[in-house]
């Protein structure tokens, strides 16, 4: 059995799926952390792998960029592959002077200006992650030693990486308690909620939109390690 975008057999995808935006990051994650992994998808280059971490079966698969892309993959995983939990992990831009490059974000809520949620019966502009997953993430962070700061906050799931009008104003977002920008969490959360499934997003700040600071791809390779470790510890608790 397969879907329009995933060629895997039903039994080849785990109940827990970890999703970075970049399929090559999914490959590297599987190579680095999973045992006995095998590739389960290559349709449209959206690589996915299933293996084990501490004897627990885990799938790691790319979700692409934007609400629409993660919406397609997460919907198919939840509905056709009986996936119970999806944790997106990725990068974000900070709007807040006090949240800096390489700080870690637990996206307990996602806001959007898009009407994406309407496709899933959700008409508000803000939606929460699964409360039990937020709780597990905070428990893991409490016991995890890192010099990095960890914040629980609302993320802006923006439709625009590029825009010619200055409509996403950092100061306005910070006033509303929305501290960072990414492009996917809102879609994942609205789909999970409508299907009664679990979802969370874990992010590392890769660029600062007020201080105009950016990380190189090499810095990101090493600077994201704490997020990966936290993510793996979360999976141990599931
Ligand atoms: N905008 C949207 N998504 C992002 C950004 C950004 O500046 N940085 C990392 N993910």
């Amino acid at each position: 059995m397969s879907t329009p975008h995933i060629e895997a057999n039903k039994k080849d995808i785990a109940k827990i799926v970890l999703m970075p935006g970049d399929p090559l990051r999914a490959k590297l994650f599987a190579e680095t952390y999973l045992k006995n992994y095998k590739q389960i998808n290559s349709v449209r280059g959206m690589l996915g792998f299933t293996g084990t971490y501490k004897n627990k079966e885990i799938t790691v698969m790319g979700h692409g960029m934007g609400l629409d892309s993660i919406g397609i993959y997460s919907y198919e995983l939840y509905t056709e592959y009986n996936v119970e939990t999806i944790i997106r992990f990725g990068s974000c831009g900070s709007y807040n002077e006090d949240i800096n490059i390489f700080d870690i974000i637990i996206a307990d809520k996602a806001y959007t200006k898009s009407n994406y949620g309407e496709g899933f019966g959700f008409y508000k502009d803000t939606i929460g992650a699964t409360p039990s997953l937020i709780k597990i993430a905070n428990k893991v962070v409490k016991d995890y030693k890192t010099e990095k700061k960890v914040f629980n906050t609302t993320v802006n799931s923006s439709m625009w990486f590029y825009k010619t009008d200055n409509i996403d104003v950092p100061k306005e977002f910070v006033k509303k308690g929305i501290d960072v920008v990414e492009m996917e969490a809102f879609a994942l959360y609205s789909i999970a909620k409508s299907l009664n499934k679990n979802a969370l997003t874990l992010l590392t700040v890769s660029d600062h939109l007020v201080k105009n600071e950016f990380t190189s791809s090499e810095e990101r390779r090493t600077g994201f390690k704490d997020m990966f470790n936290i993510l793996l510890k979360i999976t141990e608790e599931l």
Side-chain angles (χ1 to χ4, degrees), residues 3-4 8 44 52 56 72 85 98 105 133 173-174 185 196 237:
T3 68
R44 291 181 183 241
T52 59
K56 189 169 276 177
I72 289 169
T85 300
D98 298 326
I105 306 292
L133 287 178
F173 280 116
V174 173
N196 217 4
E237 302 279 328

Side-chain angles (χ1 to χ4, degrees), residues 78 84-87 128-130 133 188-189 192 197-201:
Y78 284 138
E84 284 302 322
T85 300
I86 294 178
I87 306 179
T130 303
L133 287 178
L188 176 62
Y189 294 178
K197 301 279 187 171
N198 306 313
L200 182 68
T201 298

Side-chain angles (χ1 to χ4, degrees), residues 89-90 104 202-204 223-232:
F89 63 103
I104 294 169
L202 213 55
L203 302 165
T204 298
F224 283 18
K225 269 201 188 120
D226 281 317
M227 174 173 69
F228 299 155
N229 289 334
I230 290 167
L231 183 62
L232 288 164

Side-chain angles (χ1 to χ4, degrees), residues 85-153:
T85 300
I86 294 178
I87 306 179
R88 151 166 157 70
F89 63 103
S91 61
C92 62
S94 175
Y95 290 144
N96 190 321
E97 300 265 0
D98 298 326
I99 300 181
N100 289 300
I101 300 271
F102 293 128
D103 285 348
I104 294 169
I105 306 292
I106 296 168
D108 57 11
K109 291 195 213 80
Y111 162 92
T112 192
K113 286 181 181 169
S114 158
N115 64 349
Y116 189 91
E118 292 180 16
F120 301 93
F122 195 80
Y123 287 80
K124 295 182 187 149
D125 62 12
T126 305
I127 189 164
T130 303
S132 57
L133 287 178
I134 299 171
K135 210 166 152 187
I136 291 170
N138 280 297
K139 178 176 173 276
V140 164
V141 162
K142 213 166 138 225
D143 298 334
Y144 181 78
K145 297 248 172 309
T146 170
E147 271 143 43
K148 307 220 167 86
K149 288 194 183 146
V150 182
F151 296 89
N152 281 244
T153 190

Side-chain angles (χ1 to χ4, degrees), residues 88 90-95 156 158 160-163 181-184 203-209 214:
R88 151 166 157 70
S91 61
C92 62
S94 175
Y95 290 144
N156 176 24
S158 177
W160 307 290
F161 190 87
Y162 299 111
K163 54 196 174 324
V181 56
E182 50 90 74
M183 307 186 78
E184 291 88 12
L203 302 165
T204 298
V205 177
S206 64
D207 40 280
H208 205 293
L209 302 177
F214 305 93

